[in-house]
Amino acid sequence: MKETTVPQKVEQKAPDTREESRTLIPAVDIFEMDHGLAVVADLPGVEKDGVEIQVDNNILSIRGTAKSLLPGEPLHREYQLQTYFRQFELGDAVNREGIRAEMKHGVLTVHLPKAEASVPKKISVQVA
Amino acid sequence: MTLRLWDPFRELDALRREVDRAFEDYGAWKWPFSRTAFVPWVSARTYPLLNVGEDKDNLYVEALAPGLDPDSIEISVLRDTLRIAGQKAPLNPDIKPEAFHRSERGAGKFVRTLTLPVEVDSEKVSAQYKNGLLLLTLPKHERAKPKQITVAVN
Protein backbone atom coordinates (compact mmCIF):
# COMPACT_ATOMS: atom_id res chain seq x y z
CA MET A 1 0.00 0.00 0.00
CA LYS A 2 1.42 3.30 -1.07
CA GLU A 3 1.73 6.17 1.32
CA THR A 4 0.56 9.41 -0.12
CA THR A 5 -0.33 12.91 0.85
CA VAL A 6 -3.01 14.69 -1.09
CA PRO A 7 -2.21 18.34 -1.56
CA GLN A 8 -4.73 20.15 0.55
CA LYS A 9 -6.25 23.46 -0.32
CA VAL A 10 -4.58 25.87 2.03
CA GLU A 11 -5.80 29.36 2.51
CA GLN A 12 -3.38 31.94 1.19
CA LYS A 13 -1.08 33.41 3.78
CA ALA A 14 -2.29 30.98 6.40
CA PRO A 15 0.38 30.94 9.08
CA ASP A 16 2.14 27.64 9.60
CA THR A 17 1.53 27.73 13.29
CA ARG A 18 -2.18 27.17 12.99
CA GLU A 19 -3.26 24.09 14.82
CA GLU A 20 -4.69 22.31 11.78
CA SER A 21 -1.56 22.75 9.73
CA ARG A 22 0.83 21.21 12.25
CA THR A 23 0.37 17.47 12.49
CA LEU A 24 2.26 14.47 13.75
CA ILE A 25 2.76 11.39 11.60
CA PRO A 26 1.74 8.36 13.63
CA ALA A 27 3.71 5.12 13.41
CA VAL A 28 1.76 2.37 11.65
CA ASP A 29 1.91 -1.34 11.02
CA ILE A 30 0.24 -2.60 7.87
CA PHE A 31 -0.20 -6.28 7.25
CA GLU A 32 -2.16 -8.59 5.04
CA MET A 33 -4.49 -11.33 6.13
CA ASP A 34 -6.57 -13.81 4.15
CA HIS A 35 -9.62 -11.59 4.09
CA GLY A 36 -7.95 -8.21 3.74
CA LEU A 37 -5.51 -5.65 5.04
CA ALA A 38 -5.16 -4.19 8.51
CA VAL A 39 -3.69 -0.81 9.36
CA VAL A 40 -2.63 -0.40 12.98
CA ALA A 41 -1.69 3.10 14.13
CA ASP A 42 -0.41 4.41 17.45
CA LEU A 43 -2.52 7.42 18.41
CA PRO A 44 -1.81 8.07 22.08
CA GLY A 45 -4.17 10.56 23.68
CA VAL A 46 -6.93 10.17 21.10
CA GLU A 47 -10.39 9.20 22.31
CA LYS A 48 -12.75 7.01 20.35
CA ASP A 49 -14.70 10.06 19.21
CA GLY A 50 -11.60 12.03 18.35
CA VAL A 51 -10.59 9.87 15.42
CA GLU A 52 -11.77 10.54 11.89
CA ILE A 53 -11.30 8.06 9.05
CA GLN A 54 -12.15 8.96 5.50
CA VAL A 55 -11.91 7.27 2.15
CA ASP A 56 -12.07 9.63 -0.76
CA ASN A 57 -10.77 8.99 -4.28
CA ASN A 58 -8.83 5.89 -3.22
CA ILE A 59 -7.16 7.82 -0.40
CA LEU A 60 -7.51 6.60 3.16
CA SER A 61 -7.06 9.47 5.60
CA ILE A 62 -6.59 9.02 9.31
CA ARG A 63 -6.88 12.04 11.57
CA GLY A 64 -6.91 12.01 15.33
CA THR A 65 -7.14 14.80 17.86
CA ALA A 66 -5.20 14.11 21.03
CA LYS A 67 -6.03 15.48 24.44
CA SER A 68 -3.62 15.59 27.33
CA LEU A 69 -4.70 14.33 30.74
CA LEU A 70 -2.08 16.33 32.59
CA PRO A 71 -3.46 18.78 35.18
CA GLY A 72 -1.50 21.44 37.00
CA GLU A 73 1.32 23.62 35.82
CA PRO A 74 3.91 22.10 33.46
CA LEU A 75 7.28 21.35 35.05
CA HIS A 76 9.01 19.24 32.46
CA ARG A 77 8.05 18.44 28.89
CA GLU A 78 9.31 15.76 26.53
CA TYR A 79 6.49 15.60 24.02
CA GLN A 80 3.65 17.65 22.73
CA LEU A 81 0.28 16.21 21.82
CA GLN A 82 -0.97 17.42 18.49
CA THR A 83 -3.28 16.29 15.77
CA TYR A 84 -2.19 13.08 14.08
CA PHE A 85 -2.57 12.84 10.34
CA ARG A 86 -1.52 10.29 7.75
CA GLN A 87 -2.79 9.17 4.35
CA PHE A 88 -2.47 6.03 2.28
CA GLU A 89 -3.47 5.20 -1.25
CA LEU A 90 -5.73 2.20 -1.56
CA GLY A 91 -5.71 -0.20 -4.45
CA ASP A 92 -8.85 -1.33 -6.25
CA ALA A 93 -8.80 -4.56 -4.33
CA VAL A 94 -10.31 -3.00 -1.20
CA ASN A 95 -14.02 -3.21 -0.55
CA ARG A 96 -14.86 0.38 0.42
CA GLU A 97 -18.16 -0.45 2.12
CA GLY A 98 -16.67 -3.07 4.39
CA ILE A 99 -14.09 -0.83 6.08
CA ARG A 100 -14.37 -0.74 9.84
CA ALA A 101 -12.18 0.55 12.64
CA GLU A 102 -11.66 0.10 16.34
CA MET A 103 -9.75 1.96 19.03
CA LYS A 104 -8.15 0.48 22.12
CA HIS A 105 -5.59 1.98 24.53
CA GLY A 106 -4.66 4.63 22.00
CA VAL A 107 -4.13 2.15 19.17
CA LEU A 108 -6.33 2.39 16.09
CA THR A 109 -6.97 -0.67 13.95
CA VAL A 110 -8.56 -0.20 10.53
CA HIS A 111 -9.73 -3.33 8.73
CA LEU A 112 -9.81 -3.12 4.95
CA PRO A 113 -11.54 -6.19 3.52
CA LYS A 114 -10.67 -7.39 0.04
CA ALA A 115 -13.18 -6.68 -2.69
CA GLU A 116 -15.17 -9.61 -3.96
CA ALA A 117 -13.63 -9.20 -7.42
CA SER A 118 -10.09 -9.72 -6.16
CA VAL A 119 -10.83 -12.93 -4.33
CA PRO A 120 -9.65 -15.60 -6.79
CA LYS A 121 -12.45 -17.53 -8.42
CA LYS A 122 -12.16 -20.91 -9.92
CA ILE A 123 -13.51 -21.19 -13.42
CA SER A 124 -14.40 -24.55 -14.63
CA VAL A 125 -13.79 -25.34 -18.24
CA GLN A 126 -16.60 -27.05 -19.96
CA VAL A 127 -15.79 -29.41 -22.71
CA ALA A 128 -18.33 -29.41 -25.43
CA MET B 1 23.09 33.14 49.54
CA THR B 2 25.56 35.98 49.40
CA LEU B 3 25.20 39.35 47.86
CA ARG B 4 27.80 39.92 45.19
CA LEU B 5 28.65 42.70 42.86
CA TRP B 6 28.00 42.21 39.20
CA ASP B 7 30.89 40.45 37.52
CA PRO B 8 30.69 40.22 33.71
CA PHE B 9 32.99 37.17 33.56
CA ARG B 10 30.88 35.20 35.95
CA GLU B 11 27.82 36.10 33.90
CA LEU B 12 29.57 34.89 30.77
CA ASP B 13 30.49 31.64 32.42
CA ALA B 14 26.92 31.16 33.57
CA LEU B 15 25.70 31.73 30.03
CA ARG B 16 28.12 29.15 28.66
CA ARG B 17 26.88 26.59 31.16
CA GLU B 18 23.27 27.37 30.25
CA VAL B 19 24.02 26.76 26.58
CA ASP B 20 25.81 23.49 27.36
CA ARG B 21 22.85 22.36 29.39
CA ALA B 22 20.43 23.21 26.59
CA PHE B 23 22.32 20.99 24.15
CA GLU B 24 22.95 18.18 26.62
CA ASP B 25 19.66 16.40 25.96
CA TYR B 26 19.56 17.17 22.30
CA GLY B 27 21.18 13.96 21.11
CA ALA B 28 18.75 11.81 23.03
CA TRP B 29 15.62 13.40 21.66
CA LYS B 30 14.30 11.52 18.69
CA TRP B 31 11.03 10.93 16.98
CA PRO B 32 8.61 10.03 19.78
CA PHE B 33 7.02 7.01 18.12
CA SER B 34 10.04 5.61 16.40
CA ARG B 35 10.31 1.86 16.57
CA THR B 36 13.96 2.16 17.51
CA ALA B 37 12.61 2.51 21.02
CA PHE B 38 12.45 -1.26 21.15
CA VAL B 39 15.43 -2.20 19.03
CA PRO B 40 18.28 -2.63 21.53
CA TRP B 41 21.21 -2.55 19.14
CA VAL B 42 20.02 0.67 17.51
CA SER B 43 19.48 2.69 20.64
CA ALA B 44 18.63 2.34 24.26
CA ARG B 45 16.36 5.30 23.97
CA THR B 46 14.22 6.71 26.73
CA TYR B 47 10.78 5.21 26.57
CA PRO B 48 8.16 6.23 27.39
CA LEU B 49 8.42 9.98 27.01
CA LEU B 50 7.13 11.82 30.07
CA ASN B 51 5.48 15.13 30.77
CA VAL B 52 5.48 16.34 34.35
CA GLY B 53 3.14 18.84 35.97
CA GLU B 54 2.49 19.99 39.48
CA ASP B 55 0.05 21.89 41.61
CA LYS B 56 0.02 22.74 45.31
CA ASP B 57 -0.60 19.21 46.56
CA ASN B 58 0.41 16.83 43.80
CA LEU B 59 2.93 16.01 41.15
CA TYR B 60 1.54 14.59 37.91
CA VAL B 61 3.45 12.42 35.48
CA GLU B 62 1.98 11.61 32.08
CA ALA B 63 3.59 8.94 29.91
CA LEU B 64 3.12 8.59 26.17
CA ALA B 65 2.63 4.84 25.93
CA PRO B 66 0.03 3.55 23.48
CA GLY B 67 -0.98 -0.08 23.26
CA LEU B 68 0.34 -1.28 26.61
CA ASP B 69 -0.88 -4.41 28.21
CA PRO B 70 -2.47 -2.78 31.33
CA ASP B 71 -1.63 -5.77 33.54
CA SER B 72 2.06 -5.44 32.70
CA ILE B 73 2.41 -1.88 34.03
CA GLU B 74 4.48 -1.74 37.21
CA ILE B 75 4.95 1.50 39.07
CA SER B 76 7.04 1.96 42.17
CA VAL B 77 8.33 4.94 44.12
CA LEU B 78 11.41 4.70 46.30
CA ARG B 79 12.12 7.96 48.12
CA ASP B 80 12.46 10.41 45.21
CA THR B 81 12.82 7.91 42.38
CA LEU B 82 9.87 6.87 40.27
CA ARG B 83 10.15 3.68 38.26
CA ILE B 84 7.76 2.78 35.45
CA ALA B 85 8.00 -0.61 33.78
CA GLY B 86 5.72 -2.40 31.38
CA GLN B 87 5.30 -4.07 28.07
CA LYS B 88 3.98 -2.84 24.77
CA ALA B 89 1.88 -5.70 23.54
CA PRO B 90 3.07 -7.25 20.27
CA LEU B 91 0.64 -7.88 17.45
CA ASN B 92 -0.80 -11.32 16.91
CA PRO B 93 2.25 -13.59 16.53
CA ASP B 94 0.43 -15.70 13.96
CA ILE B 95 0.93 -13.02 11.34
CA LYS B 96 3.82 -14.04 9.12
CA PRO B 97 6.69 -11.57 8.73
CA GLU B 98 6.20 -11.56 4.96
CA ALA B 99 2.61 -10.38 5.39
CA PHE B 100 3.81 -7.01 6.66
CA HIS B 101 3.83 -4.03 4.34
CA ARG B 102 4.97 -1.67 7.07
CA SER B 103 6.19 -2.23 10.57
CA GLU B 104 6.96 0.94 12.45
CA ARG B 105 5.33 0.57 15.84
CA GLY B 106 7.59 -1.88 17.58
CA ALA B 107 6.83 -3.77 20.77
CA GLY B 108 8.65 -4.97 23.83
CA LYS B 109 9.47 -4.36 27.45
CA PHE B 110 10.62 -1.07 28.89
CA VAL B 111 11.76 0.47 32.15
CA ARG B 112 12.21 4.12 32.91
CA THR B 113 13.20 5.84 36.09
CA LEU B 114 12.69 9.47 36.92
CA THR B 115 14.10 11.51 39.78
CA LEU B 116 11.28 13.53 41.25
CA PRO B 117 11.88 17.14 42.22
CA VAL B 118 10.12 16.80 45.59
CA GLU B 119 9.51 14.06 48.10
CA VAL B 120 6.19 12.28 47.51
CA ASP B 121 3.99 10.13 49.67
CA SER B 122 4.62 6.75 48.07
CA GLU B 123 1.61 5.17 49.83
CA LYS B 124 -0.87 7.41 48.05
CA VAL B 125 0.39 7.28 44.47
CA SER B 126 -2.37 6.48 42.00
CA ALA B 127 -2.31 5.70 38.28
CA GLN B 128 -4.77 5.52 35.44
CA TYR B 129 -4.30 4.31 31.88
CA LYS B 130 -6.53 5.99 29.34
CA ASN B 131 -6.34 6.36 25.55
CA GLY B 132 -2.74 5.23 25.51
CA LEU B 133 -1.63 7.77 28.11
CA LEU B 134 -0.56 6.73 31.58
CA LEU B 135 -1.27 9.37 34.22
CA LEU B 136 0.28 9.13 37.66
CA THR B 137 -0.84 11.30 40.54
CA LEU B 138 1.85 11.59 43.21
CA PRO B 139 0.74 13.47 46.33
CA LYS B 140 3.54 15.58 47.77
CA HIS B 141 4.84 14.59 51.17
CA GLU B 142 3.83 16.84 54.06
CA ARG B 143 7.49 17.70 54.54
CA ALA B 144 7.77 18.93 50.96
CA LYS B 145 4.83 21.31 51.13
CA PRO B 146 5.62 24.95 51.71
CA LYS B 147 4.59 26.39 55.05
CA GLN B 148 2.94 29.75 55.11
CA ILE B 149 4.57 31.97 57.69
CA THR B 150 2.57 34.84 58.96
CA VAL B 151 4.33 38.02 59.89
CA ALA B 152 3.17 39.59 63.09
CA VAL B 153 3.09 43.34 63.00
CA ASN B 154 3.40 45.11 66.31
Side-chain angles (χ1 to χ4, degrees):
Chain A
M1 197 150 68
K2 197 173 134 201
E3 182 171 9
T4 184
T5 305
V6 184
Q8 286 185 311
K9 278 181 202 158
V10 182
E11 228 177 280
Q12 287 272 300
K13 289 179 189 163
D16 246 8
T17 46
R18 284 222 303 204
E19 203 180 327
E20 318 88 84
S21 56
R22 285 181 307 154
T23 52
L24 287 174
I25 302 165
V28 300
D29 283 351
I30 299 174
F31 55 90
E32 222 167 309
M33 289 172 298
D34 293 341
H35 52 272
L37 282 162
V39 178
V40 182
D42 277 348
L43 303 172
V46 178
E47 275 181 36
K48 211 176 108 221
D49 300 333
V51 64
E52 201 182 295
I53 298 160
Q54 250 182 28
V55 179
D56 187 22
N57 280 338
N58 278 349
I59 308 289
L60 170 76
S61 305
I62 298 168
R63 182 187 289 276
T65 318
K67 259 187 271 172
S68 174
L69 305 172
L70 198 70
E73 290 196 23
L75 265 188
H76 171 75
R77 228 162 148 64
E78 291 177 347
Y79 63 90
Q80 218 171 341
L81 289 178
Q82 282 170 16
T83 304
Y84 299 99
F85 184 65
R86 197 159 176 180
Q87 292 182 312
F88 295 97
E89 197 173 315
L90 301 179
D92 292 329
V94 173
N95 172 15
R96 304 282 186 276
E97 272 69 49
I99 297 173
R100 62 199 168 78
E102 62 196 67
M103 208 49 197
K104 195 187 175 193
H105 299 321
V107 178
L108 171 77
T109 309
V110 185
H111 298 275
L112 305 161
K114 279 182 190 163
E116 201 58 35
S118 59
V119 175
K121 264 188 215 127
K122 201 170 181 185
I123 294 156
S124 56
V125 179
Q126 290 185 340
V127 183
Chain B
M1 198 161 54
T2 50
L3 274 177
R4 280 183 294 203
L5 289 174
W6 183 68
D7 175 354
F9 292 102
R10 191 165 46 228
E11 292 284 309
L12 217 57
D13 192 45
L15 177 70
R16 187 185 57 80
R17 268 184 278 126
E18 276 291 299
V19 173
D20 282 351
R21 204 168 57 84
F23 282 96
E24 207 168 64
D25 297 338
Y26 187 73
W29 203 93
K30 281 183 194 146
W31 175 236
F33 315 120
S34 161
R35 67 186 299 230
T36 57
F38 292 104
V39 184
W41 58 89
V42 175
S43 70
R45 202 178 57 89
T46 43
Y47 185 93
L49 292 179
L50 304 173
N51 275 355
V52 182
E54 73 163 343
D55 61 19
K56 210 158 83 325
D57 301 318
N58 299 301
L59 269 185
Y60 302 99
V61 176
E62 188 189 54
L64 191 70
L68 295 191
D69 177 357
D71 296 331
S72 76
I73 304 170
E74 284 171 32
I75 296 153
S76 61
V77 179
L78 180 66
R79 285 191 290 275
D80 65 343
T81 306
L82 168 72
R83 182 180 182 275
I84 303 171
Q87 187 175 13
K88 186 169 175 183
L91 285 170
N92 186 350
D94 295 342
I95 303 161
K96 293 193 204 94
E98 58 265 34
F100 275 90
H101 291 228
R102 258 166 213 279
S103 177
E104 301 167 354
R105 291 172 59 248
K109 288 183 179 169
F110 63 84
V111 179
R112 183 157 183 202
T113 54
L114 181 75
T115 306
L116 301 169
V118 296
E119 202 176 335
V120 295
D121 195 339
S122 54
E123 300 292 312
K124 292 183 194 153
V125 174
S126 64
Q128 56 164 320
Y129 186 53
K130 197 183 163 200
N131 300 330
L133 296 175
L134 177 68
L135 180 70
L136 308 181
T137 306
L138 308 127
K140 289 182 186 172
H141 201 282
E142 284 305 319
R143 272 180 300 212
K145 284 184 193 167
K147 290 271 172 338
Q148 190 79 36
I149 293 156
T150 50
V151 179
V153 183
N154 296 347

Short mmCIF file of all heavy atoms in Angstrom, two decimals, chain B residues 6 19 23 25-26 29 31 37 45 47 53 57 62 74 76 80 87-88 93-94 99-100 116 124 129-130 136 138 147:
data_model
loop_
_atom_site.label_atom_id
_atom_site.label_comp_id
_atom_site.label_asym_id
_atom_site.label_seq_id
_atom_site.Cartn_x
_atom_site.Cartn_y
_atom_site.Cartn_z
N TRP B 6 28.12 42.74 40.54
CA TRP B 6 28.00 42.21 39.20
C TRP B 6 29.37 42.00 38.58
O TRP B 6 30.20 42.92 38.54
CB TRP B 6 27.18 43.16 38.33
CG TRP B 6 26.98 42.64 36.95
CD1 TRP B 6 26.23 41.57 36.60
CD2 TRP B 6 27.54 43.16 35.75
NE1 TRP B 6 26.29 41.39 35.24
CE2 TRP B 6 27.08 42.33 34.71
CE3 TRP B 6 28.39 44.24 35.46
CZ2 TRP B 6 27.43 42.56 33.39
CZ3 TRP B 6 28.74 44.45 34.15
CH2 TRP B 6 28.27 43.62 33.11
N VAL B 19 24.05 27.24 27.96
CA VAL B 19 24.02 26.76 26.58
C VAL B 19 24.40 25.28 26.53
O VAL B 19 23.77 24.48 25.85
CB VAL B 19 24.95 27.61 25.68
CG1 VAL B 19 25.05 27.00 24.29
CG2 VAL B 19 24.43 29.04 25.59
N PHE B 23 22.00 21.94 25.21
CA PHE B 23 22.32 20.99 24.15
C PHE B 23 22.58 19.58 24.68
O PHE B 23 22.70 18.64 23.91
CB PHE B 23 23.52 21.47 23.34
CG PHE B 23 23.16 22.53 22.35
CD1 PHE B 23 23.31 23.87 22.65
CD2 PHE B 23 22.61 22.17 21.13
CE1 PHE B 23 22.93 24.84 21.74
CE2 PHE B 23 22.24 23.14 20.21
CZ PHE B 23 22.39 24.48 20.53
N ASP B 25 20.69 17.41 26.24
CA ASP B 25 19.66 16.40 25.96
C ASP B 25 19.39 16.24 24.48
O ASP B 25 18.67 15.36 24.08
CB ASP B 25 18.35 16.83 26.63
CG ASP B 25 18.50 16.87 28.13
OD1 ASP B 25 19.41 16.20 28.62
OD2 ASP B 25 17.71 17.56 28.77
N TYR B 26 19.97 17.11 23.69
CA TYR B 26 19.56 17.17 22.30
C TYR B 26 19.76 15.85 21.56
O TYR B 26 18.92 15.40 20.82
CB TYR B 26 20.30 18.30 21.58
CG TYR B 26 19.83 18.52 20.19
CD1 TYR B 26 18.59 19.14 19.98
CD2 TYR B 26 20.56 18.09 19.10
CE1 TYR B 26 18.12 19.33 18.70
CE2 TYR B 26 20.09 18.29 17.82
CZ TYR B 26 18.86 18.91 17.63
OH TYR B 26 18.40 19.08 16.37
N TRP B 29 17.00 13.16 22.09
CA TRP B 29 15.62 13.40 21.66
C TRP B 29 15.43 12.96 20.22
O TRP B 29 16.05 13.49 19.32
CB TRP B 29 15.26 14.86 21.81
CG TRP B 29 13.79 15.03 21.92
CD1 TRP B 29 13.04 15.07 23.05
CD2 TRP B 29 12.86 15.12 20.84
NE1 TRP B 29 11.72 15.18 22.75
CE2 TRP B 29 11.58 15.21 21.40
CE3 TRP B 29 12.97 15.11 19.45
CZ2 TRP B 29 10.42 15.30 20.64
CZ3 TRP B 29 11.83 15.20 18.69
CH2 TRP B 29 10.56 15.31 19.29
N TRP B 31 12.44 11.04 17.33
CA TRP B 31 11.03 10.93 16.98
C TRP B 31 10.30 10.10 18.05
O TRP B 31 10.69 8.98 18.34
CB TRP B 31 10.94 10.28 15.60
CG TRP B 31 9.56 10.01 15.17
CD1 TRP B 31 9.05 8.81 14.79
CD2 TRP B 31 8.50 10.95 15.06
NE1 TRP B 31 7.74 8.96 14.47
CE2 TRP B 31 7.38 10.26 14.63
CE3 TRP B 31 8.40 12.32 15.31
CZ2 TRP B 31 6.15 10.87 14.43
CZ3 TRP B 31 7.19 12.93 15.12
CH2 TRP B 31 6.09 12.21 14.68
N ALA B 37 12.79 2.59 19.58
CA ALA B 37 12.61 2.51 21.02
C ALA B 37 12.76 1.08 21.52
O ALA B 37 13.16 0.86 22.64
CB ALA B 37 11.23 3.04 21.40
N ARG B 45 16.94 3.97 23.87
CA ARG B 45 16.36 5.30 23.97
C ARG B 45 15.39 5.37 25.14
O ARG B 45 14.85 4.37 25.56
CB ARG B 45 15.61 5.59 22.67
CG ARG B 45 15.40 7.02 22.36
CD ARG B 45 14.69 7.11 21.03
NE ARG B 45 13.45 6.37 21.08
CZ ARG B 45 12.30 6.89 21.46
NH1 ARG B 45 12.21 8.14 21.82
NH2 ARG B 45 11.21 6.17 21.47
N TYR B 47 12.16 5.53 26.88
CA TYR B 47 10.78 5.21 26.57
C TYR B 47 10.10 4.81 27.87
O TYR B 47 10.68 4.05 28.63
CB TYR B 47 10.69 4.05 25.57
CG TYR B 47 9.28 3.77 25.13
CD1 TYR B 47 8.75 4.35 23.99
CD2 TYR B 47 8.46 2.93 25.89
CE1 TYR B 47 7.44 4.11 23.62
CE2 TYR B 47 7.16 2.71 25.51
CZ TYR B 47 6.65 3.29 24.37
OH TYR B 47 5.36 3.07 24.00
N GLY B 53 3.82 17.61 35.54
CA GLY B 53 3.14 18.84 35.97
C GLY B 53 3.01 18.83 37.48
O GLY B 53 3.22 17.80 38.12
N ASP B 57 -0.63 20.44 45.77
CA ASP B 57 -0.60 19.21 46.56
C ASP B 57 0.00 18.01 45.84
O ASP B 57 0.40 17.06 46.50
CB ASP B 57 -2.03 18.85 46.97
CG ASP B 57 -2.67 19.95 47.78
OD1 ASP B 57 -1.98 20.51 48.64
OD2 ASP B 57 -3.85 20.26 47.53
N GLU B 62 2.74 12.19 33.18
CA GLU B 62 1.98 11.61 32.08
C GLU B 62 2.97 10.94 31.13
O GLU B 62 3.95 11.55 30.73
CB GLU B 62 1.21 12.70 31.36
CG GLU B 62 0.24 12.18 30.32
CD GLU B 62 -0.34 13.31 29.47
OE1 GLU B 62 0.44 14.08 28.90
OE2 GLU B 62 -1.55 13.41 29.38
N GLU B 74 4.02 -1.70 35.81
CA GLU B 74 4.48 -1.74 37.21
C GLU B 74 5.02 -0.37 37.56
O GLU B 74 5.88 0.16 36.88
CB GLU B 74 5.62 -2.75 37.36
CG GLU B 74 5.18 -4.18 37.38
CD GLU B 74 6.37 -5.11 37.30
OE1 GLU B 74 7.44 -4.75 37.82
OE2 GLU B 74 6.22 -6.19 36.69
N SER B 76 6.60 1.95 40.78
CA SER B 76 7.04 1.96 42.17
C SER B 76 7.75 3.29 42.46
O SER B 76 8.31 3.92 41.56
CB SER B 76 7.97 0.78 42.46
OG SER B 76 9.11 0.86 41.65
N ASP B 80 12.79 9.43 46.25
CA ASP B 80 12.46 10.41 45.21
C ASP B 80 12.61 9.83 43.81
O ASP B 80 12.72 10.56 42.84
CB ASP B 80 13.34 11.66 45.38
CG ASP B 80 14.81 11.36 45.14
OD1 ASP B 80 15.16 10.17 45.17
OD2 ASP B 80 15.58 12.29 44.92
N GLN B 87 5.07 -3.41 29.35
CA GLN B 87 5.30 -4.07 28.07
C GLN B 87 4.31 -3.55 27.04
O GLN B 87 3.11 -3.47 27.31
CB GLN B 87 5.12 -5.58 28.23
CG GLN B 87 5.50 -6.30 26.97
CD GLN B 87 5.45 -7.81 27.11
OE1 GLN B 87 4.89 -8.33 28.07
NE2 GLN B 87 6.00 -8.51 26.15
N LYS B 88 4.84 -3.19 25.89
CA LYS B 88 3.98 -2.84 24.77
C LYS B 88 3.62 -4.14 24.08
O LYS B 88 4.51 -4.89 23.67
CB LYS B 88 4.69 -1.88 23.82
CG LYS B 88 3.79 -1.38 22.72
CD LYS B 88 4.43 -0.25 21.96
CE LYS B 88 3.56 0.14 20.79
NZ LYS B 88 4.16 1.18 19.96
N PRO B 93 1.03 -12.94 17.05
CA PRO B 93 2.25 -13.59 16.53
C PRO B 93 2.00 -14.54 15.35
O PRO B 93 2.96 -14.96 14.70
CB PRO B 93 2.78 -14.36 17.74
CG PRO B 93 1.62 -14.52 18.64
CD PRO B 93 0.68 -13.39 18.39
N ASP B 94 0.72 -14.81 15.08
CA ASP B 94 0.43 -15.70 13.96
C ASP B 94 0.65 -15.04 12.60
O ASP B 94 0.73 -15.71 11.57
CB ASP B 94 -1.02 -16.18 14.02
CG ASP B 94 -1.26 -17.04 15.25
OD1 ASP B 94 -0.25 -17.52 15.82
OD2 ASP B 94 -2.42 -17.20 15.65
N ALA B 99 3.91 -11.01 5.61
CA ALA B 99 2.61 -10.38 5.39
C ALA B 99 2.63 -8.89 5.71
O ALA B 99 1.68 -8.18 5.43
CB ALA B 99 1.55 -11.08 6.25
N PHE B 100 3.74 -8.42 6.28
CA PHE B 100 3.81 -7.01 6.66
C PHE B 100 4.21 -6.12 5.49
O PHE B 100 5.17 -6.41 4.79
CB PHE B 100 4.83 -6.82 7.79
CG PHE B 100 4.24 -7.06 9.15
CD1 PHE B 100 4.25 -8.33 9.71
CD2 PHE B 100 3.64 -6.03 9.85
CE1 PHE B 100 3.69 -8.56 10.95
CE2 PHE B 100 3.08 -6.25 11.09
CZ PHE B 100 3.10 -7.52 11.65
N LEU B 116 12.32 12.54 41.02
CA LEU B 116 11.28 13.53 41.25
C LEU B 116 11.87 14.76 41.95
O LEU B 116 12.78 14.63 42.76
CB LEU B 116 10.17 12.92 42.11
CG LEU B 116 9.50 11.69 41.51
CD1 LEU B 116 8.63 11.02 42.54
CD2 LEU B 116 8.68 12.06 40.29
N LYS B 124 0.36 6.86 48.64
CA LYS B 124 -0.87 7.41 48.05
C LYS B 124 -0.77 7.65 46.55
O LYS B 124 -1.60 8.35 45.98
CB LYS B 124 -1.24 8.73 48.75
CG LYS B 124 -1.67 8.52 50.19
CD LYS B 124 -2.08 9.83 50.80
CE LYS B 124 -2.19 9.70 52.31
NZ LYS B 124 -1.96 10.99 52.95
N TYR B 129 -4.75 4.50 33.27
CA TYR B 129 -4.30 4.31 31.88
C TYR B 129 -5.49 4.55 30.98
O TYR B 129 -6.50 3.86 31.06
CB TYR B 129 -3.76 2.89 31.71
CG TYR B 129 -3.13 2.64 30.36
CD1 TYR B 129 -2.15 3.48 29.88
CD2 TYR B 129 -3.54 1.57 29.58
CE1 TYR B 129 -1.58 3.26 28.65
CE2 TYR B 129 -2.96 1.34 28.34
CZ TYR B 129 -1.98 2.19 27.87
OH TYR B 129 -1.43 1.97 26.65
N LYS B 130 -5.39 5.59 30.15
CA LYS B 130 -6.53 5.99 29.34
C LYS B 130 -6.05 6.44 27.98
O LYS B 130 -5.13 7.27 27.89
CB LYS B 130 -7.27 7.13 30.06
CG LYS B 130 -8.66 7.37 29.55
CD LYS B 130 -9.26 8.55 30.29
CE LYS B 130 -10.46 9.07 29.54
NZ LYS B 130 -10.79 10.44 29.91
N LEU B 136 0.01 9.41 36.26
CA LEU B 136 0.28 9.13 37.66
C LEU B 136 0.02 10.38 38.47
O LEU B 136 0.39 11.48 38.07
CB LEU B 136 1.74 8.73 37.86
CG LEU B 136 2.32 7.63 36.99
CD1 LEU B 136 3.77 7.39 37.37
CD2 LEU B 136 1.53 6.36 37.15
N LEU B 138 0.93 11.84 42.09
CA LEU B 138 1.85 11.59 43.21
C LEU B 138 1.66 12.70 44.25
O LEU B 138 2.17 13.81 44.05
CB LEU B 138 3.30 11.57 42.73
CG LEU B 138 3.60 10.64 41.55
CD1 LEU B 138 4.29 11.39 40.44
CD2 LEU B 138 4.44 9.47 41.97
N LYS B 147 5.34 25.91 53.88
CA LYS B 147 4.59 26.39 55.05
C LYS B 147 4.42 27.90 54.94
O LYS B 147 5.37 28.62 54.65
CB LYS B 147 5.38 26.07 56.34
CG LYS B 147 5.41 24.59 56.68
CD LYS B 147 4.22 24.22 57.54
CE LYS B 147 4.06 22.74 57.78
NZ LYS B 147 4.65 21.80 56.88
#
